[in-house]
């Protein structure tokens, strides 16, 4: 965060209008501490808006828009909220609404001023009613049946089990965690760096074709270098242990160097 703070301090003319943060970065399996970004803005007295992408954190990691001073946040339906892809929504502070009123950028579906003028402050197009019924049930499960604190604790617990397995596999020059900073570990997804000379996409094809296990691939410069294990949403211990067992089986079949016993390490972490 030192670089962020330095950049803000150097911007005495306030050319920077917003600081964008991806709360949980899915391609690398890293979490960004939003309160630290807010602290950098406050320490420098910079008036920039704080914008947060919560696509893969909302409903999986603790996110506190008001408490952390986030001005605008975007969320999605398809990850922690356990719904199909297709619904997105925003949270907006009064400061962001004021900036929006003076904005000349083209906008329609996220035209908050136009939305606020509608009788029910609703969508500007066809309302996705089926998503809302699904969202109502997701929120019931999370807030009433399990409880948010338990939801977050479950995600942390399962993520720790996955990381324990990967750390065990890393012996014998095996795969290892791509994120090397524990304070930045993601509880939504773990990115696993393949050993030198091992193509992650080839390994993923073995897992899919032989065992019907779908693993996330590397994106951009990480294509073929990592695979990703998602552990968010409707997930429990049997599901994650089954996934890890099949990953280890696929590594053995594909000839990926590793130290066997990662599943035992995950069991120990859960127990």
């Amino acid at each position: 965060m030192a670089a962020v703070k330095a950049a803000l301090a150097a911007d005495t003319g306030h050319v920077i209008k917003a600081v964008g943060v991806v709360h949980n970065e899915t391609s690398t399996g890293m979490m960004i501490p939003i309160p630290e970004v807010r602290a950098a803005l406050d320490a420098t007295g910079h008036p920039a808006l704080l914008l947060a992408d919560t696509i893969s954190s909302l409903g999986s990691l603790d996110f506190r828009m008001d408490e952390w001073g986030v001005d605008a946040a975007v969320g999605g339906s398809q990850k922690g909220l356990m719904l199909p892809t297709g619904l997105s929504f925003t949270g907006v502070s009064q400061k962001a609404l004021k900036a929006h009123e003076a904005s000349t950028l083209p906008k329609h579906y996220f035209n908050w001023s136009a939305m606020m003028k509608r009788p029910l402050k609703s969508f500007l197009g066809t309302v996705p009613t089926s998503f809302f019924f699904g969202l109502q049930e997701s929120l019931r499960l999370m807030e009433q049946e399990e409880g948010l604190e338990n939801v977050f604790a479950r995600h942390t617990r399962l993520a720790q089990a996955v990381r324990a397995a990967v750390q065990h596999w890393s012996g014998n020059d095996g795969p290892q965690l791509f994120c090397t900073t524990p304070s930045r570990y993601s509880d939504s997804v773990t990115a696993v760096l393949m050993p030198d000379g091992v193509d992650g996409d080839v390994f993923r094809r073995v897992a899919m074709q032989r065992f019907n296990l779908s693993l996330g691939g590397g994106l951009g410069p990480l294509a073929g270098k990592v695979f990703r294990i998602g552990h968010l949403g409707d997930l429990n211990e049997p599901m994650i242990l089954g996934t890890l067992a099949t990953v280890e089986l696929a590594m053995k079949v594909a000839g990926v160097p590793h130290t066997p016993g990662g599943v035992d390490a995950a069991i120990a972490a859960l127990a």
Side-chain angles (χ1 to χ4, degrees):
M1 293 301 164
V4 174
K5 187 175 179 180
L8 291 170
D11 182 35
T12 55
H14 298 161
V15 175
I16 298 172
K17 301 303 180 185
V19 178
V21 183
V22 179
H23 188 200
N24 187 80
E25 214 295 297
T26 54
S27 69
T28 57
M30 294 188 187
M31 181 277 300
I32 304 299
I34 293 177
E36 293 184 19
V37 182
R38 178 77 264 170
L41 282 161
D42 293 345
T44 56
H46 201 289
L49 297 168
L50 177 56
L51 315 180
D53 173 338
T54 71
I55 300 295
S56 65
S57 64
L58 195 64
S60 302
L61 313 182
D62 196 8
F63 175 73
R64 301 171 183 259
M65 182 170 177
D66 294 338
E67 184 177 322
W68 296 349
V70 176
D71 293 300
V74 61
S77 56
Q78 73 274 25
K79 295 189 183 291
L81 296 177
M82 305 173 287
L83 295 171
T85 305
L87 179 67
S88 62
F89 37 83
T90 53
V92 196
S93 72
Q94 289 300 316
K95 180 180 176 181
L97 282 174
K98 186 175 180 180
H100 167 78
E101 292 170 359
S103 169
T104 59
L105 296 171
K107 62 187 70 71
H108 181 71
Y109 289 108
F110 285 108
N111 189 327
W112 300 318
S113 296
M115 289 180 186
M116 297 293 283
K117 293 175 183 177
R118 293 173 67 87
L120 299 177
K121 297 182 174 59
S122 65
F123 284 71
L124 298 181
T126 303
V127 178
T129 52
S130 57
F131 274 104
F132 283 136
F133 283 116
L135 182 60
Q136 185 178 43
E137 177 63 11
S138 292
L139 296 179
R140 186 194 69 79
L141 291 171
M142 296 169 67
E143 296 180 338
Q144 298 178 26
E145 188 165 309
E146 187 172 5
L148 274 180
E149 292 303 319
N150 293 328
V151 169
F152 299 147
R154 172 170 54 82
H155 280 80
T156 297
R157 187 169 66 249
L158 298 178
Q160 289 172 339
V162 172
R163 292 192 289 265
V166 176
Q167 289 166 332
H168 185 90
W169 290 332
S170 67
N172 192 30
D173 297 323
Q176 55 189 291
L177 295 174
F178 180 78
C179 178
T180 58
T181 305
S183 63
R184 297 294 180 87
Y185 286 158
S186 165
D187 286 346
S188 291
V189 60
T190 295
V192 184
L193 181 65
M194 298 299 281
D196 289 339
V198 178
D199 190 320
D201 290 337
V202 172
F203 165 69
R204 289 173 55 238
R205 281 197 294 273
V206 171
M208 185 65 188
Q209 293 172 3
R210 289 288 300 273
F211 308 112
N212 199 33
L213 175 67
S214 178
L215 297 167
L219 303 176
L222 293 181
K225 297 181 180 179
V226 305
F227 70 90
R228 294 175 297 145
I229 300 174
H231 34 78
L232 76 169
D234 182 17
L235 199 69
N236 61 19
E237 286 83 353
M239 294 176 184
I240 206 66
L241 289 173
T243 297
L244 294 173
T246 310
V247 168
E248 187 163 332
L249 174 59
M251 285 196 295
K252 183 175 181 63
V253 170
V256 177
H258 67 286
T259 296
V263 179
D264 289 334
I267 291 172
L270 291 170

